[in-house]
Amino acid sequence: RTDPDLILAPMLTAVVPEDIWSTRTVLIVHPGPMGDRGPSSLDWAIQEGAQDWGVTVLQAAAEMDAGDIWASVPFRVAPCGKSELYRGEVSDAAVRAVLLAVERYEERSYTPVPLDYTAAGVQGRARPPMRQADRRIDWRSDDTETVLRRLRAADSRPGVLDELYGDEFFLHGGHPEDELRGAPGAVLATRDGAICRATVDGAVWIPRLRARRVPGGPATLKLSAAAVLGERLAGVDEAEADPRAAADRDTWSEIRYREHGRAGFLEFSFPGGAMDTARCRRLLAAYRDAIARPTSVLVLGPRRDVFSNGIHLGVIEAAADPAGESWANINAMNDLVQAVLTTTDRLTVAALPGNAAAGGLMLALAADEVWCRAASVLNPHYRLMGLYGSEFWTYTLPRRVGAAQAALLTSRTLPVGARQAHFLGLADLVLPGSQEEFRSQTVRRAAELAASAPLPGRIAVKRARRAEDEAAAPLAGYRSDELARMERNFFGESEPYHALRADFVHSVRQLTTPEHLLEWAPAHS
């Protein structure tokens, strides 16, 4: 339809047809350094303990991943799972590599470099797809570091196939444990849905499992390990971790709390940013504990990766009563957001090192200030799930961007970059740099803000405004009106929500029409 000169494939899932790559320039983003080839690039890098990796932009050719190289950007491999690495260091390097490649293409004077394994700097090699045989964990001999690398290399998909209690499951995610010990392979404890499993020299936490699908049977979902194992865990103790104590330990905890001066930091990190009913309630309890501390600024958000994407569609899909679980989940989210909105004795800051969407973004907007890393992407809408939306968005979104822009953002269902978010009023501060740099800047700025002379006056103004807003239109009214619409979405017979949710959870492909994207382009630019 557009007859482009240049085509960019940022996430290639199918072979580019020859009649396309032979007639125009097609650039492919490969998550590996120069010379690396194959579909399991990050899997091999993480599992083999690579400390340095890269992203290469190469030209599509007859041989996969063997085309001429337009750009290559290195990065340090963070000790985390594949999906987190992809959303962080890989994506940052990919953006730099793509911009460089497009700049070189525009100059028309740059000649891409042919792949030559004898050339300096070409250190990668062709690797086969990683199979389950390559990922297998031997609990009787593999040490903790080996187990963690295998789990992290497969954390989002496909998981590591393993046996527990006589049945086969895919293990998703891996985190170290500093205290618990036991017989290799044994399940030692649970914590907030995760299981702790012993290795030969320590133990690891595995947050999620997926039952192996029976041939001809229904699809299975990644859920909390405890939910999947159920009664098999009878007699296994719950090893609780207080958020404040967990902050100083090398253990798995989805919620941590720490302080720097008079600034408190309530850190939460949920797989994929999804918050089910139980997570919302745990975070609300931790929030209430945090606001009981003698601080004047409270920062909300993870140290890195996704801030939040709202309610947990996977848990809802797996529930015996999806509509009922949807209702419980949205009310738990509302309780959390309301607690943030009604905090008037200190300043609250939502710090977003990564993306936020739907109710997760509305949680951020409940804070007094929103600080975003420049690479963050915000999705302030619910319509792709057939939902009206809740979490007090009808109060917070117009308050920030105005009624007309709020209607546009929630109806157009398109992403907003951090700088555009700042221009619109969705974000108060945009900080450049890596996730680690964003974290250090956030800590410094929050501590300075907490110690600043104008802060008491700002808190007083905030308290007065909240009282004025409550007198004009109580928060209970916003909540009631939103939930009345959501109740119809959840329980109405002709509503599309349940079908859209099922398609999303089971990865049924949905495409945005080109016309929709073209319509947005002038306003977005």
Side-chain angles (χ1 to χ4, degrees):
R1 296 186 183 188
T2 57
D3 191 28
D5 299 307
L6 176 67
I7 297 173
L8 176 69
M11 186 185 294
L12 194 63
T13 58
V15 175
V16 178
E18 183 178 359
D19 64 332
I20 294 178
W21 63 256
S22 64
T23 58
R24 65 199 74 218
T25 302
V26 180
L27 298 184
I28 296 169
V29 181
H30 177 72
M34 287 190 293
D36 180 77
R37 297 172 60 194
S40 302
S41 178
L42 291 180
D43 306 60
W44 288 113
I46 295 170
Q47 184 158 306
E48 295 186 346
Q51 295 185 346
D52 296 286
W53 205 241
V55 173
T56 303
V57 178
L58 49 88
Q59 190 161 336
E63 194 173 357
M64 287 289 289
D65 299 337
D68 292 350
I69 297 167
W70 284 82
S72 188
V73 172
F75 64 85
R76 293 285 290 177
V77 179
C80 63
K82 178 173 61 175
S83 55
E84 182 179 327
L85 185 70
Y86 186 90
R87 290 188 293 260
E89 285 76 5
V90 175
S91 292
D92 289 351
V95 168
R96 294 195 295 272
V98 164
L99 292 177
L100 177 59
V102 173
E103 180 182 332
R104 287 170 171 173
Y105 177 85
E106 284 184 316
E107 290 172 353
R108 303 290 178 180
S109 60
Y110 181 81
T111 301
V113 180
L115 176 59
D116 179 3
Y117 282 104
T118 65
V122 179
Q123 299 176 341
R125 60 190 175 99
R127 301 296 300 261
M130 185 176 284
R131 308 297 185 188
Q132 283 298 333
D134 303 309
R135 304 181 189 274
R136 189 179 68 84
I137 295 172
D138 187 342
W139 296 94
R140 298 166 299 178
S141 61
D142 289 341
D143 61 16
T144 300
E145 183 59 33
T146 300
V147 173
L148 283 174
R149 289 201 307 266
R150 292 179 183 275
L151 290 170
R152 287 170 169 173
D155 71 336
S156 54
R157 63 178 59 180
V160 176
L161 184 62
D162 197 24
E163 183 176 304
L164 273 167
Y165 300 104
D167 293 317
E168 288 188 312
F169 301 93
F170 291 94
L171 316 182
H172 293 273
H175 304 268
E177 162 59 23
D178 55 3
E179 293 181 357
L180 297 173
R181 298 293 183 266
V187 176
L188 306 177
T190 61
R191 177 181 298 154
D192 297 334
I195 58 172
C196 184
R197 200 166 180 191
T199 64
V200 294
D201 64 344
V204 297
W205 286 95
I206 303 169
R208 296 184 294 171
L209 301 179
R210 176 170 58 89
R212 188 174 192 178
R213 186 176 186 176
V214 177
T220 57
L221 297 173
K222 285 179 287 187
L223 298 169
S224 73
V228 173
L229 293 174
E231 293 301 319
R232 299 177 182 90
L233 294 174
V236 177
D237 293 334
E238 177 81 1
E240 296 182 357
D242 175 84
R244 290 170 62 188
D248 296 321
R249 288 185 55 194
D250 191 15
T251 187
W252 178 80
S253 179
E254 292 183 322
I255 303 172
R256 299 172 188 265
Y257 178 80
R258 64 187 85 230
E259 293 176 358
H260 295 273
R262 289 187 58 81
F265 295 81
L266 181 56
E267 302 166 357
F268 51 90
S269 180
F270 306 122
M275 298 171 61
D276 60 21
T277 304
R279 286 191 174 103
C280 291
R281 291 172 178 167
R282 288 200 299 272
L283 187 53
L284 175 58
Y287 182 84
R288 288 172 173 160
D289 288 342
I291 60 174
R293 297 287 301 164
T295 59
S296 52
V297 171
L298 179 59
V299 180
L300 312 173
R303 294 179 68 88
R304 47 180 290 133
D305 204 19
V306 180
F307 181 84
S308 173
N309 287 320
I311 62 176
H312 200 308
L313 300 176
V315 170
I316 291 169
E317 179 70 12
D321 178 10
E325 179 56 34
S326 299
W327 185 249
N329 202 166
I330 200 65
N331 274 280
M333 280 291 297
N334 273 290
D335 292 342
L336 175 60
V337 174
Q338 185 167 349
V340 178
L341 284 170
T342 55
T343 299
T344 58
D345 64 343
R346 69 199 68 206
L347 206 70
T348 55
V349 176
L352 281 62
N355 303 344
L361 177 54
M362 301 314 161
L363 170 62
L365 297 185
D368 301 307
E369 293 193 8
V370 176
W371 299 353
C372 288
R373 191 167 74 95
S376 300
V377 177
L378 312 183
N379 280 281
H381 53 77
Y382 302 79
R383 286 185 61 191
L384 294 180
M385 281 300 113
L387 297 174
Y388 176 74
S390 191
E391 293 97 1
F392 300 89
W393 78 264
T394 53
Y395 170 65
T396 57
L397 195 56
R399 184 179 62 166
R400 278 187 164 269
V401 304
Q405 188 64 51
L408 190 64
L409 289 171
T410 53
S411 62
R412 277 190 136 171
T413 67
L414 289 169
V416 179
R419 290 186 176 86
Q420 181 76 355
H422 185 254
F423 174 78
L424 293 174
L426 286 172
D428 301 284
L429 180 67
V430 175
L431 298 171
S434 67
Q435 296 187 89
E436 285 70 26
E437 290 168 332
F438 176 79
R439 173 67 183 180
S440 63
Q441 291 184 76
T442 296
V443 171
R444 177 180 60 80
R445 287 175 178 271
E448 290 174 352
L449 179 60
S452 65
L455 184 62
R458 290 189 60 186
I459 294 173
V461 170
K462 165 189 174 176
R463 185 182 300 113
R465 183 185 179 188
R466 174 83 284 280
E468 291 171 2
D469 287 354
E470 186 67 17
L475 286 178
Y478 289 99
R479 177 169 182 160
S480 176
D481 291 345
E482 291 170 0
L483 288 179
R485 300 284 291 270
M486 292 289 276
E487 187 174 21
R488 290 197 293 273
N489 295 154
F490 294 154
F491 296 98
E493 292 184 2
S494 60
E495 293 289 324
Y497 160 68
H498 293 290
L500 291 171
R501 184 198 64 245
D503 286 348
F504 176 80
V505 169
H506 295 292
S507 300
V508 176
R509 195 176 184 193
Q510 297 178 2
L511 296 177
T512 305
T513 63
E515 291 87 350
H516 199 179
L517 293 174
L518 292 172
E519 175 191 1
W520 171 246
H524 187 59
S525 62

